[in-house]
Amino acid sequence: MIERRLIAVEGIVQGVGFRPYVHSLAMARNLEGYVRNTASGLMIDIQGDCTALDDFVAVLIAAPPPLAMIASVESTAATVRSRAGFSIVESADAAATEGYDGLFLNTPGTRRLTLAPPDIATCRDCLDELFNPDDRRFEYPFINCTQCGPRLTILRSLPYDRPATTMAAFVMCAECRAEYEDPRDRRFHAQPIACANCGPRLWLIETSSPHTERCTVDSLGTAVRALVAGNIVAIKGLGGYHIACDATNRDAVERLRTRKHREAKPLAIMAPDVEGLSLLCDVSSEDRALLESRERPIVLLGKRLYAPDSIESVSPRNAFIGGMLPYTPLHHLLLKAVGRPLVMTSGNLSDDPISFEDDDAIEHLSPIADLILGHDRDIATRCDDSVMRVINATPVFIRRSRGFAPRPIALPLSFPSHTLAMGGHLKNTFCLGRERLAFVSHHIGDLENAAAYRSLEEGIKHYSALAGVTPDTVAHDLHPGYMSTQIAQKLTGLNRIAVQHHHAHIASCMAENGVTEPVIGVAFDGAGLGEDGAIWGGEFLLVDRDGYERVGHLGYVPLPGGEAAVRRPLRMALAHLWAAFDGDIERAGSALAGRAGTQEWSVLAQMLSRQLNSPPTSSAGRLFDAVASLCGIRDDAQFEGQAAMELEAIADHATPRRYPVDVTDSPDGLVADPGSIIRAVASDISSGVPISEISGALHHSLSGMIASIAQTVRDRTGVNRIALSGGVFQNVLLTTLSAAGLQAAGFDVFQHRIVPCNDGGLSLGQAYVVALGSKEA
Ligand code: ZN
Ligand code: ZN
Ligand code: FE
């Protein structure tokens, strides 16, 4: 029987080779009609034998093109017409073709769901052409196709067509246009299509010359020679500028650090291939798969024991190196020519957001780089590299950004209405929610910084347009001082929902695991404002659709000087000792054997005893800092978690040593006393126990404490699901031990895989609290 159907497909279906795919599926089944892009996705008007039609739809859903993501398929019957063949209709002509637009276009009040695709690393086919001397795009640094190339970072608006991208400025040559218009060509409707005749070009600036002129002759060759000679080159990438130098040249790396004011934080490296990384790092098969994936994140890799000494300055006193592989044609050309790993760190000063606009980059990166290698394809949206690592054969995120954003996360529940979630203060992302989709943004950064703040405001505007979201609810952190909270408060006419920081952490873990039922949440974190005004961070929360109840936490200690303690683990050591020894400053101080200067010690002692500027905190992150300082690992930290990371790195995993954790039942829930740990640590240190054993014992004791408190909560509530979240769970040893202990105790354990456990995942959690709270669905 002959039928005709109008099939609306929504999701990431534009710019990913969907229409040629539909075309080939239809032709193979003798079906007639056409396919075209609409503002809400794809419209397939198709007719033919009904069995063939069913098969067509089944295959379409089961095996879409690799980069596509189908959010929904809706089919309606229509009257059969006389037709011949199957065609692909241009977006621009669409309105004139058939009259269905009223159904699907972005008229107010109707849905609109074309999703913008993320940026994708250069594909195998394009690489073959890039290095083929007979190809017309031989060594062309902007080669791309339907399966690869820039997407989010060049996109200004939807639908995803060339005029809506930063490629609009380039007029296609006849050859490119022929490929672009041929449905059988692998560049059919590849919006960033270009060649040396018609596309973007490289330019180079020598920052020492007084006239920063853009030279376009042999830019790449000059940059390569400079890198090999040990110079520092800023390089324009997909989502912003990197600063590069020879990673094996210690002088160059040290110079880069000094100029960038980045003394200790690890720098990422890019090697020509996995083999190049293997010389420096241990690369497992899971690491390799991640490194070579089309998203090409930075992957944290274990440093080789016998890695060359010169590499030490890339990640000093750190067991890991962030490694990645080339992901743009320019990277491939560059890395092949220099033939060695390059430092590729984000192009910014210290903690500023990555530079992505040329003028800004030239201004800010000239003092750092000797040369700037740029090009004339604009970046529409700044997007940092994603950072991942493999834990127990499972890839997890440290930063979810390029290659992943703005791909939405499917939720088990619908949002009651369009929702915006502002995220946290550090490592900020925001999230937009509609129906069952959550669009978590690329990494925005630390909002302390004016540029990040602007980037957040612009990002929200841009994503709202991309996702077709007009928020009427905004969720934000409880902390009134967060910039993200302040932006939310400026938005008038929206429902505002303040979500407690650790509630959001646990909800984010629930969201990505599709959990709607109550869970016991363990949020081990640096800092988040609690309902009682204290700084929380070692929390046991019972989370359900109505909200949360705090059923347990680490006991409070003073946080002397508030956030200042983050950069000074020694302060936390003193505060913990002070609390552990009941304010007996003599005994507390003696455990540190005079390591604090007398002046600092007396100031701190006063702060602590008079409770000046010392809010109570239950932070697990600060407990790690305190123990690291007690062990003499470091008293100052250049970035949050540095001391804790170094403490983890030296841990003796196999030590049988354990510390007692006293847990008391209070009206405030179960309170685990960190003092019992601190006293044991202090005694171990004075009796000369190796710090590797102390560190191992701390990890084992905390994971044991987590399992034991969880079991008490389960006994009282009957809840057997447990979610682990918060930045402290970036600690692989603690995560592994805790998950294993909980699984052994029979819990269903949920962990992060899709968003980071740190504050980068907070926005998803805030949004999910809104979805959980709605009584529909
Ligand atoms: Zn390609
Ligand atoms: Zn061309
Ligand atoms: Fe947090």
Side-chain angles (χ1 to χ4, degrees):
M1 198 176 98
I2 302 295
E3 280 178 16
R4 173 170 168 231
R5 297 181 196 170
L6 306 177
I7 303 170
V9 187
E10 297 186 334
I12 300 180
V13 293
Q14 296 183 8
V16 291
F18 216 108
R19 286 176 299 166
Y21 176 69
V22 168
H23 181 261
S24 68
L25 283 186
M27 296 296 274
R29 288 167 185 74
N30 271 322
L31 299 169
E32 300 173 325
Y34 69 89
V35 56
R36 65 178 172 84
N37 283 345
T38 65
S40 59
L42 280 184
M43 175 66 191
I44 307 168
D45 182 338
I46 191 163
Q47 68 182 35
D49 176 69
C50 62
T51 328
L53 278 174
D54 288 342
D55 183 55
F56 168 86
V57 174
V59 174
L60 189 77
I61 294 171
L67 302 184
M69 186 193 121
I70 294 180
S72 74
V73 175
E74 268 176 40
S75 182
T76 42
T79 323
V80 176
R81 295 187 175 182
S82 77
R83 284 247 167 80
F86 193 89
S87 58
I88 295 174
V89 176
E90 294 286 332
S91 312
D93 309 339
T97 322
E98 298 278 348
Y100 306 117
D101 281 349
L103 264 179
F104 301 107
L105 272 184
N106 187 27
T107 49
T110 63
R111 2 193 257 126
R112 168 182 169 165
L113 204 54
T114 323
L115 307 183
D119 302 287
I120 297 300
T122 312
C123 73
R124 195 67 254 169
D125 290 343
C126 285
L127 279 183
D128 288 345
E129 292 179 11
L130 183 66
F131 292 112
N132 175 3
D134 297 329
D135 193 273
R136 73 184 195 89
R137 292 189 179 85
F138 177 56
E139 295 192 339
Y140 179 59
F142 303 94
I143 187 170
N144 64 79
C145 72
T146 315
Q147 298 303 316
C148 77
R151 298 287 187 273
L152 171 70
T153 53
I154 59 165
L155 194 59
R156 295 200 197 275
S157 61
L158 282 177
Y160 175 59
D161 271 335
R162 183 141 164 141
T165 71
T166 60
M167 285 299 293
F170 300 91
V171 180
M172 279 180 231
C173 69
E175 281 174 287
C176 284
R177 176 156 294 281
E179 294 168 332
Y180 181 85
E181 288 174 352
D182 180 357
R184 291 152 309 172
D185 194 277
R186 65 183 201 86
R187 293 197 170 85
F188 175 68
H189 280 208
Q191 306 305 341
I193 190 175
C195 72
N197 296 323
C198 67
R201 281 167 206 216
L202 294 174
W203 50 253
L204 189 83
I205 288 176
E206 234 172 283
T207 57
S208 60
S209 100
H211 335 275
T212 46
E213 262 168 49
R214 300 182 183 193
C215 165
T216 54
V217 182
D218 193 28
S219 321
L220 186 67
T222 312
V224 167
R225 286 187 294 277
L227 286 166
V228 171
N231 290 306
I232 297 169
V233 182
I235 299 165
K236 188 172 178 181
L238 269 185
Y241 279 79
H242 281 118
I243 301 172
C245 74
D246 179 353
T248 63
N249 180 333
R250 198 165 189 152
D251 286 347
V253 178
E254 293 299 339
R255 212 168 339 115
L256 187 154
R257 280 196 182 280
T258 314
R259 292 193 196 167
K260 198 171 140 64
H261 302 300
R262 181 164 176 154
E263 282 122 49
K265 238 178 173 175
L267 304 167
I269 61 172
M270 182 183 274
D273 47 32
V274 171
E275 287 59 44
L277 286 172
S278 303
L279 296 176
L280 312 171
C281 315
D282 294 314
V283 183
S284 69
S285 58
E286 290 87 4
D287 292 328
R288 173 188 280 266
L290 209 49
L291 286 163
E292 292 180 336
S293 67
R294 59 182 186 234
E295 292 87 4
R296 297 265 160 140
I298 295 173
V299 180
L300 294 195
L301 304 165
K303 218 188 264 176
R304 287 220 140 170
L305 276 179
Y306 50 89
D309 219 31
S310 58
I311 210 76
E312 182 55 26
S313 44
V314 168
S315 65
R317 296 177 70 174
N318 194 309
F320 295 91
I321 292 183
M324 64 178 146
L325 297 179
Y327 56 82
T328 69
L330 176 58
H331 292 152
H332 282 283
L333 294 168
L334 207 61
L335 269 292
K336 190 171 185 225
V338 297
R340 64 188 78 180
L342 296 177
V343 164
M344 276 282 197
T345 184
S346 38
N348 53 12
L349 199 62
S350 208
D351 291 328
D352 289 357
I354 186 168
S355 292
F356 72 111
E357 287 158 323
D358 296 332
D359 292 342
D360 175 78
I362 293 167
E363 183 189 331
H364 288 100
L365 304 184
S366 286
I368 306 175
D370 303 303
L371 294 175
I372 299 178
L373 178 63
H375 57 73
D376 52 5
R377 185 181 70 203
D378 286 342
I379 298 172
T381 294
R382 163 196 288 131
C383 196
D384 291 78
D385 293 317
S386 293
V387 185
M388 301 182 75
R389 80 187 305 174
V390 175
I391 301 181
N392 301 328
T394 308
V396 299
F397 281 96
I398 292 163
R399 180 162 80 201
R400 180 185 181 272
S401 200
R402 175 190 47 78
F404 298 94
R407 185 175 280 257
I409 295 160
L411 300 183
L413 292 173
S414 278
F415 287 97
S417 60
H418 286 191
T419 299
L420 163 65
M422 301 299 302
H425 189 62
L426 303 176
K427 303 185 176 76
N428 178 272
T429 60
F430 62 88
C431 174
L432 288 168
R434 57 174 294 175
E435 285 100 50
R436 292 185 176 212
L437 295 177
F439 300 79
V440 178
S441 74
H442 54 282
H443 171 77
I444 302 290
D446 296 351
L447 298 181
E448 252 129 36
N449 173 309
Y453 179 92
R454 266 200 314 278
S455 178
L456 173 60
E457 288 190 314
E458 285 162 15
I460 291 171
K461 226 184 280 169
H462 188 53
Y463 270 60
S464 301
L466 293 187
V469 169
T470 318
D472 57 18
T473 300
V474 58
H476 59 82
D477 196 272
L478 202 57
H479 200 307
Y482 282 7
M483 283 300 172
S484 52
T485 304
Q486 291 173 7
I487 295 179
Q489 277 161 351
K490 283 197 301 186
L491 301 171
T492 46
L494 272 68
N495 297 321
R496 271 200 297 271
I497 299 178
V499 181
Q500 199 278 326
H501 192 95
H502 304 98
H503 183 199
H505 270 306
I506 299 304
S508 112
C509 186
M510 293 168 74
E512 64 161 82
N513 285 291
V515 178
T516 58
E517 305 285 292
V519 301
I520 301 167
V522 184
F524 271 29
D525 201 29
L529 182 63
E531 311 271 0
D532 59 356
I535 308 298
W536 294 6
E539 310 306 311
F540 292 80
L541 309 178
L542 190 65
V543 178
D544 63 20
R545 296 196 58 171
D546 295 323
Y548 78 98
E549 186 195 341
R550 191 190 198 197
V551 289
H553 63 90
L554 284 176
Y556 286 142
V557 300
L559 184 65
E563 284 300 293
V566 171
R567 301 264 166 161
R568 184 77 174 141
L570 179 68
R571 280 189 178 207
M572 275 329 290
L574 289 170
H576 265 288
L577 286 168
W578 185 84
F581 292 104
D582 291 328
D584 183 339
I585 291 182
E586 288 291 301
R587 282 173 65 207
S590 69
L592 274 171
R595 287 221 326 281
T598 1
Q599 211 198 337
E600 182 177 21
W601 184 217
S602 68
V603 169
L604 276 174
Q606 286 214 18
M607 282 172 87
L608 293 170
S609 47
R610 295 202 205 152
Q611 301 183 339
L612 294 172
N613 189 21
S614 299
T617 186
S618 53
S619 166
R622 296 295 87 79
L623 174 60
F624 273 90
D625 284 353
V627 174
S629 170
L630 280 174
C631 288
I633 289 175
R634 74 166 50 244
D635 292 338
D636 288 291
Q638 250 122 44
F639 53 92
E640 186 180 11
Q642 185 183 18
M645 279 163 67
E646 290 173 4
L647 183 66
E648 180 194 354
I650 56 129
D652 174 357
H653 296 203
T655 180
R657 189 174 290 275
R658 298 290 181 273
Y659 296 134
V661 188
D662 300 340
V663 178
T664 49
D665 216 344
S666 82
D668 215 13
L670 298 158
V671 180
D673 178 20
S676 50
I677 298 177
I678 293 291
R679 286 186 296 270
V681 169
S683 136
D684 272 0
I685 288 170
S686 55
S687 51
V689 174
I691 56 172
S692 56
E693 275 196 49
I694 296 176
S695 171
L698 175 73
H699 284 84
H700 281 284
S701 308
L702 287 177
S703 60
M705 179 267 281
I706 287 173
S708 112
I709 292 187
Q711 287 176 73
T712 309
V713 176
R714 176 172 63 187
D715 291 345
R716 293 176 182 179
T717 62
V719 174
N720 193 46
R721 282 171 229 90
I722 193 156
L724 305 180
S725 191
V728 168
F729 284 110
Q730 285 178 154
N731 180 318
V732 179
L733 180 56
L734 182 72
T735 301
T736 309
L737 292 174
S738 303
L742 291 164
Q743 271 148 5
F747 283 98
D748 289 333
V749 183
F750 297 99
Q751 292 174 266
H752 286 279
R753 291 160 296 112
I754 300 177
V755 296
C757 64
N758 61 38
D759 286 5
L762 221 47
S763 61
L764 174 65
Q766 293 168 347
Y768 194 54
V769 167
V770 173
L772 280 172
S774 92
K775 293 298 166 209
E776 306 152 29

